[in-house]
Amino acid sequence: MLTVAKGAVAAVMFFLELGVLLALGYWGFTREVNILMKILLGLGTPAVFATLWGLFMAGGKAPHQLHGIARAVFEVVWFGAGAAALAASGLVTAGVVFAIVYVVDGVLRLLTDQV
């Protein structure tokens, strides 16, 4: 049973990671700017965030893997940016739900030793 729970918690975390990229892309494409800037923000912001994730967080394969408090701060900023992007796009409820799911998943990761 614990194996199933750990798998579910890890799956939710993975989908939250993807959700941040989607939220940032949505935010970029919904800005009130010209089409070129929308494309730049809609594609560029998720690309920058994905690069940062790959450099610092990518499951043991990151060249500059963060640990401890630095990892926790990075995660809070990363997932907070996803929630904020949703809220800034007018999807305030979705942003709040996103943040709540992240916090619950974080607590479950701590309880199942997946940090």
Side-chain angles (χ1 to χ4, degrees):
M1 181 68 172
L2 184 60
T3 304
V4 172
K6 283 184 173 186
V9 169
V12 169
M13 184 64 169
F14 174 72
F15 287 117
L16 285 169
E17 293 165 11
L18 294 178
V20 169
L21 299 176
L22 291 171
L24 292 169
Y26 183 77
W27 169 83
F29 284 116
T30 59
R31 298 299 83 214
E32 294 291 327
V33 292
N34 65 52
I35 189 70
L36 185 60
M37 188 58 83
K38 282 185 184 200
I39 292 170
L40 180 64
L41 290 171
L43 297 177
T45 307
V48 167
F49 269 68
T51 301
L52 290 173
W53 188 267
L55 286 172
F56 299 110
M57 298 291 282
K61 299 177 187 122
H64 307 287
Q65 189 76 38
L66 296 178
H67 301 283
I69 193 72
R71 182 178 182 87
V73 169
F74 187 96
E75 265 195 30
V76 169
V77 170
W78 170 275
F79 292 103
L86 288 169
S89 300
L91 303 173
V92 177
T93 302
V96 170
V97 169
F98 188 90
I100 291 170
V101 171
Y102 167 67
V103 170
V104 169
D105 192 68
V107 169
L108 292 174
R109 285 187 298 131
L110 284 171
L111 293 174
T112 58
D113 294 323
Q114 294 186 64
V115 233

